[in-house]
Amino acid sequence: DVLTIEIESVNVEALEKLEAEGVKVIPKPSALRIIRNKINQKAFYYQNEIPTPEYKVVENRKALEKELDWLPAVNKLGEGGYDGKGVQVLQTENDLSLGFDAPGILEKMVDIHQEIAVMVAINSKGEHVVYPPVEMVFNQQLNLLDYQICPARINDNNKWKIEAIAIKLVKALNSPGLFAIELFIDKKGNIFVNETAPRVHNSGHHTIEAHICSQYDMLWRILLNYPLGSGEKVLSSALINLIGEAGHSGPAHYNGIEDLLRMDQVYVHIYGKKETRPGRKMGHITLTGNDAMELMHRAQKVKGMIKVESAG
């Protein structure tokens, strides 16, 4: 009766054919076609006056050599990048060999103060719900989320700006669905959209325990055309990614998990991946509480208590 996706790297042509045959596809293939390609996604932001870092389209690694005056910059693969892959920071001319030998974008480096994500649910009537923005702290080596805090430590003015940008973006996509928008706040206070995901997202996993309506419950409501739920938080939360340890490949072993399971307001989610690899996302842990600063302290403690290693 209705189809949705768990990742944007799908056969959009097949979904368009199904849509033409009368199958309801959420999000619409037209939105997926925009989002799945970083070149299309950036052009969409410019066309709809969504603030985003300045960029140029580059066809291959050779083309990067003509853009030395843009360095330092970020080279993003047009298609196929996922979970930190497909993004390469180019600081100097010596880094050009790290760039992608395929179509993509070269994006001006942002002097980042904070990285923020916000989830927006929108139904076929255009009704929408915005979840409270979360603050993301990244592992700079792996370019993966290390941990996040909800609600984000931002002032009301930035919160309103972020919500307004996210709503404008989602409405411009003209599609029902659940969308995760990642943004930068630079050191001058400017806000830029980094990228958008058209699905349930890592930055929304904390909603399972900490919000009235989880991102998964919200997606079901959108798919079934039920009234949207509340995105309000019940408790503040922190989320820690479980990432495969460096130097460990093979059958996964979660060292320290029993200690975590003895703790209150700690929720362990294992993704069922049998094999671990360095940098592979293997699960996440959600902490709930009332005080954001205490949650950050607990998140750092919990992060040090569990390691995803190879057995034996």
Side-chain angles (χ1 to χ4, degrees):
D1 298 324
V2 60
L3 287 178
T4 191
I5 52 118
E6 64 169 356
I7 189 170
E8 48 269 42
S9 299
V10 292
N11 187 332
V12 176
E13 291 78 12
L15 293 179
E16 287 171 335
K17 186 172 187 298
L18 288 169
E19 186 179 52
E21 293 172 359
V23 177
K24 184 161 67 171
V25 181
I26 296 177
K28 290 181 180 178
S30 56
L32 292 175
R33 190 172 284 284
I34 293 167
I35 289 172
R36 75 193 299 269
N37 184 297
K38 293 291 194 302
I39 300 170
N40 294 344
Q41 194 178 137
K42 291 290 279 191
F44 167 81
Y45 297 152
Y46 268 62
Q47 289 161 8
N48 290 280
E49 299 181 336
I50 305 293
T52 191
E54 192 178 353
Y55 79 104
K56 286 186 177 183
V57 176
V58 287
E59 289 301 317
N60 49 39
R61 190 178 294 133
K62 189 75 175 173
L64 295 172
E65 297 173 6
K66 301 176 184 178
E67 309 296 347
L68 295 180
D69 58 327
W70 269 57
L71 301 182
V74 182
N75 184 203
K76 296 182 178 179
L77 200 58
E79 290 195 9
Y82 182 70
D83 261 4
K85 300 175 179 65
V87 177
Q88 187 65 58
V89 175
L90 307 178
Q91 295 282 1
T92 68
E93 184 177 354
N94 296 331
D95 294 331
L96 292 182
S97 61
L98 303 174
F100 300 107
D101 198 21
I105 62 170
L106 187 66
E107 187 176 271
K108 279 282 190 182
M109 186 83 81
V110 175
D111 193 7
I112 298 171
H113 171 57
Q114 287 173 298
E115 296 194 47
I116 306 295
V118 61
M119 304 286 301
V120 180
I122 186 165
N123 63 18
S124 56
K125 299 175 184 175
E127 298 166 339
H128 64 268
V129 169
V130 182
Y131 283 90
V134 304
E135 181 178 352
M136 305 183 293
V137 178
F138 276 83
N139 181 313
Q140 297 303 319
Q141 283 72 44
L142 298 172
N143 194 34
L144 284 174
L145 182 73
D146 211 353
Y147 67 91
Q148 73 179 30
I149 299 293
C150 182
R153 297 170 298 169
I154 53 176
N155 60 42
D156 285 343
N157 192 44
N158 279 343
K159 180 175 181 288
W160 296 329
K161 285 181 181 177
I162 286 166
E163 290 178 350
I165 290 167
I167 292 167
K168 182 179 181 182
L169 190 164
V170 167
K171 287 192 171 182
L173 286 169
N174 193 31
S175 169
L178 187 67
F179 299 90
I181 298 102
E182 297 182 354
L183 311 98
F184 301 134
I185 302 177
D186 74 7
K187 292 183 179 176
K188 294 181 180 179
N190 299 306
I191 298 171
F192 302 102
V193 171
N194 176 27
E195 57 185 45
T196 302
R199 53 180 166 79
V200 293
H201 192 256
N202 198 119
S203 62
H205 285 333
H206 64 291
T207 60
I208 299 169
E209 288 87 15
H211 288 247
I212 292 172
C213 184
S214 79
Q215 64 172 346
Y216 296 97
D217 184 9
M218 194 72 82
L219 179 59
W220 275 114
R221 289 167 179 262
I222 295 165
L223 297 179
L224 298 173
N225 206 26
Y226 287 168
L228 296 177
S230 170
E232 289 300 308
K233 73 179 180 70
V234 178
L235 291 166
S236 296
S237 61
L239 182 142
I240 303 112
N241 258 351
L242 287 178
I243 298 171
E245 289 292 306
H248 287 265
S249 295
H253 174 68
Y254 298 86
N255 190 10
I257 194 169
E258 290 187 5
D259 292 331
L260 286 185
L261 293 174
R262 292 188 181 97
M263 299 172 68
D264 293 332
Q265 292 186 289
V266 175
Y267 305 90
V268 181
H269 296 261
I270 304 298
Y271 297 162
K273 300 175 182 177
K274 294 181 180 179
E275 301 284 323
T276 185
R277 297 190 301 271
R280 189 182 194 194
K281 278 206 285 194
M282 302 296 290
H284 72 267
I285 301 162
T286 303
L287 314 179
T288 57
N290 294 309
D291 183 82
M293 293 305 294
E294 182 199 359
L295 279 167
M296 289 185 68
H297 174 73
R298 287 173 61 204
Q300 290 287 8
K301 180 181 177 182
V302 164
K303 190 172 177 295
M305 289 175 63
I306 184 166
K307 304 290 182 187
V308 186
E309 302 171 340
S310 52

